[in-house]
Amino acid sequence: MSNHPLRTRSELERLAAQVGTPFYFYDADVVARRIALVKEQTAPPGIQARYAMKACSAHLVLKAIAQAGLWIDAVSGNEVLRARRAGFAMGAEPPIVMLTADVFRDNALAVVCEEGVLPNIGSPGQIRELAAAGYRGPIGLRVNPGFGHGHVQACDTGGPSSKHGVWIDEAERMAVEARQAGLPIVLLHAHVGSGPQIDELHANLQRLARVFAELLPHFPDVSALNLGGGIPHSYRDPDWVADLAPLGRILRESRKLFCERAGRDVRVEIEPGRFFVAPSATLVARVTDVKQTRSNEKGKGQSFVMVDAGFCDLVRPAMYGSYHRIEVSSAEPGPVAPLAVAGPLCESGDVFTRDAGELIEPRELPTPRAGDLVLLHDAGAYGASMSSNYNSLGRVPQVWWQDGRAVLMSRRETLADILATECERPLD
């Protein structure tokens, strides 16, 4: 089991016997190593790293981030409250927790007002909403610089088809409106995505720094510029880790440029999410059967490995055609063959082995037997955090491995958990 702290099948089987399958397994050492890499490049004064907690909001992950002195980018009121529960300080001086939102939903406005965290707005109407809610404090402004792209086609972080932020031409008008409402803009923010190559990330960050430098004279209250996240992670090569030295150089150069242009001290921020946690977790599933279909005029036959994990547990392959390395843990694996790995959901899209066009793409894997374990690697980012109760299935347990010890950090949801919100309360 490559890159796995549980080196033997028997150890993994013992854990599966305790919590059942499927379950998420996190390696604390991997999170710590990724934190250390980012901290090395953000150590100079005036440079701060945040964690985009939407990637994985498990409380032990948040505690590891807090202990390292990183800050938080939250995207909902409940994420802010989860950050508070994990030990992050509230308030806007300094803004250790920032709430970035294009829409204030549920308790988000109330949390901003009650906790005093920095709201980072991405839509003009949010100025009116904050003022109407009685908020009178600093705000951040997310701008759409007109460029930027994420790791897959569906992740459009900047440009005409991106919903995020205020279009760059509207930024100066927003500065005036915010000042009139008594909401000084103290932070400018954009996210240009990782793109397909790390060189593209570096080029986009340098381009974004120049855009921010041009905007600064119009924002006299700005004390921080946030360049977003986007540090890439390789889902195919477990040994490849991005060289962050060029990123560190860009951050230092950007801070120097900003301070000179503003004539005052300006903090530079980044906010990776995926990079910290993607390689830390494995989704462990149990094989229930191996079956075949025959080729006909409709298409080529497939060999399906049926497992008990589905896209309710890890949705990225079904949503994006995303690739996750798959490993078979078997006492006596059969011969290597092209296999499709599929789950239990009543959906034809519940297949983990898909290509970028979301078509079935079998993998060359050792043929498992019913009862074997299958490991879906690099599932720490947007795995458990995007899981659901589809088909009325409970969210799966999450296990945290640290210092040779396994800790259950969330139990399997039961039907009672799922039904707890149902009611028949009259609305008069």
Side-chain angles (χ1 to χ4, degrees):
M1 288 175 283
S2 60
N3 295 329
H4 212 283
L6 292 177
R7 297 301 178 187
T8 69
R9 179 174 180 269
S10 61
E11 289 175 317
L12 197 57
E13 284 285 4
R14 280 200 298 271
L15 193 55
Q18 292 182 65
V19 302
T21 57
F23 69 94
Y24 274 100
F25 183 92
Y26 294 79
D27 184 353
D29 286 344
V30 174
V31 177
R33 288 196 296 270
R34 287 296 176 94
I35 289 173
L37 290 174
V38 172
K39 287 201 68 174
E40 183 179 0
Q41 303 304 327
T42 58
I47 300 177
Q48 179 65 48
R50 295 182 182 273
Y51 170 52
M53 64 177 284
K54 64 191 174 90
C56 179
S57 52
H59 68 283
L60 290 181
V61 171
L62 293 179
K63 286 185 176 181
I65 295 289
Q67 290 167 2
L70 275 63
W71 293 2
I72 285 290
D73 178 56
V75 293
S76 72
N78 283 344
E79 280 199 349
V80 171
L81 298 179
R82 292 184 76 170
R84 185 186 68 180
R85 178 174 177 264
F88 290 91
M90 299 289 101
E93 295 182 2
I96 291 175
V97 175
M98 177 174 72
L99 172 61
T100 298
D102 288 314
V103 174
F104 291 128
R105 174 182 160 162
D106 298 338
N107 61 346
L109 268 176
V111 167
V112 166
C113 293
E114 293 167 8
E115 304 297 340
V117 295
L118 181 69
N120 182 32
I121 66 171
S123 189
Q126 290 179 292
I127 289 178
R128 296 188 296 273
E129 289 183 87
L130 284 165
Y135 179 78
R136 297 295 183 273
I139 66 172
L141 176 65
R142 178 171 183 170
V143 299
N144 182 336
F147 60 92
H149 199 278
H151 64 295
V152 293
Q153 189 64 35
C155 293
D156 205 354
T157 57
S161 61
S162 174
K163 74 182 182 71
H164 297 297
V166 174
W167 191 252
I168 188 70
D169 293 344
E170 300 294 314
E172 294 177 27
R173 180 178 63 82
M174 291 283 289
V176 174
E177 291 184 8
R179 198 174 303 117
Q180 291 173 343
L183 305 174
I185 295 176
V186 300
L187 177 141
L188 291 176
H189 171 275
H191 178 45
V192 292
S194 58
Q197 302 292 335
I198 193 166
D199 289 344
E200 182 176 347
L201 167 66
H202 295 153
N204 279 340
L205 288 177
Q206 290 170 318
R207 186 179 175 189
L208 178 59
R210 293 192 294 270
V211 170
F212 276 162
E214 292 299 318
L215 282 178
L216 263 175
H218 304 284
F219 291 84
D221 298 312
V222 161
S223 59
L225 294 167
N226 186 308
L227 302 179
I231 301 176
H233 168 74
S234 174
Y235 284 88
R236 294 178 180 269
D237 183 355
D239 298 319
W240 184 88
V241 180
D243 177 9
L244 301 192
L247 173 62
R249 184 172 62 253
I250 291 170
L251 295 175
R252 295 190 298 273
E253 292 172 351
S254 298
R255 173 168 151 75
K256 184 174 182 292
L257 172 64
F258 298 153
C259 292
E260 290 174 351
R261 184 61 61 93
R264 61 184 183 275
D265 189 56
V266 177
R267 184 176 68 252
V268 175
E269 298 182 357
I270 57 169
E271 52 179 44
R274 177 190 320 277
F275 182 79
F276 288 120
V277 293
S280 71
T282 298
L283 179 61
V284 182
R286 181 81 68 184
V287 176
T288 63
D289 204 357
V290 180
K291 64 182 182 180
Q292 289 76 36
T293 61
R294 304 288 187 187
S295 299
N296 62 17
E297 68 278 3
K298 297 292 186 179
K300 183 180 179 181
Q302 303 286 349
S303 294
F304 285 99
V305 176
M306 306 304 298
V307 300
D308 56 7
F311 71 60
C312 56
D313 309 306
L314 179 62
V315 74
R316 297 183 72 254
M319 180 178 288
Y320 299 137
S322 298
Y323 182 96
H324 286 265
R325 290 184 299 113
I326 297 176
E327 185 177 358
V328 174
S329 173
S330 174
E332 297 179 5
V336 171
L339 302 174
V341 179
L345 303 183
C346 189
E347 290 286 346
S348 58
D350 191 27
V351 178
F352 290 111
T353 45
R354 293 186 172 276
D355 62 17
E358 301 180 29
L359 299 175
I360 292 178
E361 185 178 58
R363 305 271 182 88
E364 293 292 327
L365 296 169
T367 303
R369 294 166 172 77
D372 288 343
L373 295 178
V374 165
L375 313 181
L376 291 97
H377 290 291
D378 299 296
Y382 308 104
S385 67
M386 292 180 73
S387 61
S388 72
N389 293 130
Y390 189 57
N391 286 186
S392 293
L393 293 170
R395 289 180 176 85
V396 304
Q398 297 179 81
V399 174
W400 181 257
W401 179 272
Q402 187 168 17
D403 299 328
R405 179 169 173 261
V407 175
L408 183 65
M409 65 176 178
S410 72
R411 62 168 173 80
R412 189 178 305 278
E413 287 184 341
T414 65
L415 179 60
D417 295 322
I418 297 171
L419 298 180
T421 60
E422 294 190 357
C423 58
E424 296 184 22
R425 186 176 61 203
L427 296 174
D428 297 325

